[in-house]
């Protein structure tokens, strides 16, 4: 049950308008994750009076870093060094980042492949505006077996590198994510019914 979950439930708010988010905030939802830069910036402006913690959870293009990086607290999708280079160039505070790992071997999916994670984590140490706090992954659509494997692997890798946080689990697979020690769920479509 999501109610017993002790970690952070990030509302993946792409399905919600700023007005719906304002309502959710009044009901006690303070963490929001957007996955498109333009929508994020528009909503942040409209909700400026609220003390929201903003996460960015979508694929991030390098040319968008400048306008958004200082507006977020958490980036869930650090997946390449040239993105880190842009963050170094434009961030004026340390950004808490999850490294996105592709654990379902889907070509179209972003994320560091597990065999490259060691090297990536080594190189990223030089980037002093990036604080790696954990790993993030996305399950495989309609494949609970592959999804559970991915969540299990993410848990093992986070432990191996002594990273405290694991961002995994969405509306249809959050139970598997909790089972494998997720600390941050990203729930969108079913947010309202699951939080009821
Ligand atoms: C939309 C989105 C979610 C939430 O997905 P739901 O299935 O709607 O819960 C989680 N993570 C990312 C990266 C998303 O883009």
């Amino acid at each position: 049950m999501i109610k017993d979950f002790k970690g952070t439930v990030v509302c993946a708010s792409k399905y919600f308008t700023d007005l719906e988010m304002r309502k959710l905030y009044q009901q006690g939802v303070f963490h929001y994750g957007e996955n498109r830069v333009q929508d994020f910036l528009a909503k942040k402006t409209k909700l400026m009076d609220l003390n929201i913690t903003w996460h960015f959870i979508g694929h991030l293009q390098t040319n968008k870093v400048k306008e958004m990086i200082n507006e977020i607290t958490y980036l869930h999708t650090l997946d390449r060094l040239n993105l880190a280079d842009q963050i170094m160039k434009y961030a004026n505070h340390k950004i808490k980042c999850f490294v996105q790992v592709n654990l379902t071997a889907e070509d179209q999916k972003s994320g560091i492949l597990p065999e490259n994670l060691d090297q990536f984590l080594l190189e990223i140490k030089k980037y002093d505006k990036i604080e790696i706090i954990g790993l993030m992954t996305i399950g495989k659509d309609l494949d609970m077996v592959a999804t559970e494997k991915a969540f299990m692997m993410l848990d093992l890798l986070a432990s191996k590198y002594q990273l405290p946080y694991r961002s995994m689990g969405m509306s249809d697979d959050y139970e598997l994510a909790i089972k494998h020690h997720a600390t941050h769920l990203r729930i969108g479509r079913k947010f309202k019914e699951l939080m009821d």
Side-chain angles (χ1 to χ4, degrees), residues 9-25 27 29 31-36 39-40 42-44 46-47 52 54 57 171 186-196:
V9 180
V10 178
C11 174
S13 42
K14 61 173 173 277
Y15 303 103
F16 304 127
T17 64
D18 56 290
L19 285 176
E20 289 174 296
M21 290 164 71
R22 188 173 285 280
K23 235 183 226 158
L24 288 169
Y25 183 91
Q27 292 161 15
V29 180
H31 288 261
Y32 294 88
E34 283 287 327
N35 65 330
R36 300 176 71 112
D39 295 344
F40 160 60
K43 283 176 173 172
K44 185 166 182 188
K46 286 187 171 142
L47 301 173
I52 286 175
W54 290 102
I57 63 174
S171 291
R186 308 177 311 270
I187 309 285
R189 223 163 6 92
K190 298 188 182 166
F191 188 85
K192 287 180 183 171
E193 57 182 277
L194 290 174
M195 297 303 280
D196 236 359

Side-chain angles (χ1 to χ4, degrees), residues 101-157:
V101 190
N102 180 350
L103 292 167
T104 53
E106 295 164 277
D107 294 340
Q108 77 283 7
K109 195 182 259 178
S110 29
I112 304 281
L113 292 172
E115 59 267 34
N116 299 330
L117 185 60
D118 210 86
Q119 181 68 21
F120 185 83
L121 289 172
L122 204 65
E123 293 188 36
I124 206 74
K125 284 189 205 298
K126 294 191 279 252
Y127 292 71
D128 62 5
K129 284 183 188 167
I130 290 177
E131 181 186 359
I132 304 296
I133 60 166
L135 303 178
M136 176 274 211
T137 200
I138 300 175
K140 187 170 179 179
D141 242 5
L142 307 174
D143 186 342
M144 284 300 162
V145 174
T147 294
E148 181 159 21
K149 262 192 204 156
F151 291 174
M152 194 183 297
M153 280 294 298
L154 196 85
D155 186 30
L156 283 172
L157 288 168

Side-chain angles (χ1 to χ4, degrees), residues 8-11 31-34 53-60 68-69 72-79 83 87 95-101 110-111 133-138 154 165-169 183-186:
T8 303
V9 180
V10 178
C11 174
H31 288 261
Y32 294 88
E34 283 287 327
T53 300
W54 290 102
H55 301 246
F56 194 83
I57 63 174
H59 180 70
L60 181 54
M68 57 71 77
I69 198 65
I72 62 170
T73 304
Y74 296 97
L75 175 64
H76 288 240
T77 48
L78 180 63
D79 61 355
L83 186 57
I87 294 172
I95 309 295
K96 295 179 191 297
C97 295
F98 294 83
V99 175
Q100 183 174 357
V101 190
S110 29
I133 60 166
L135 303 178
M136 176 274 211
T137 200
I138 300 175
L154 196 85
Y165 298 119
R166 297 143 173 82
S167 168
M168 57 188 183
T183 62
H184 292 68
L185 307 175
R186 308 177 311 270

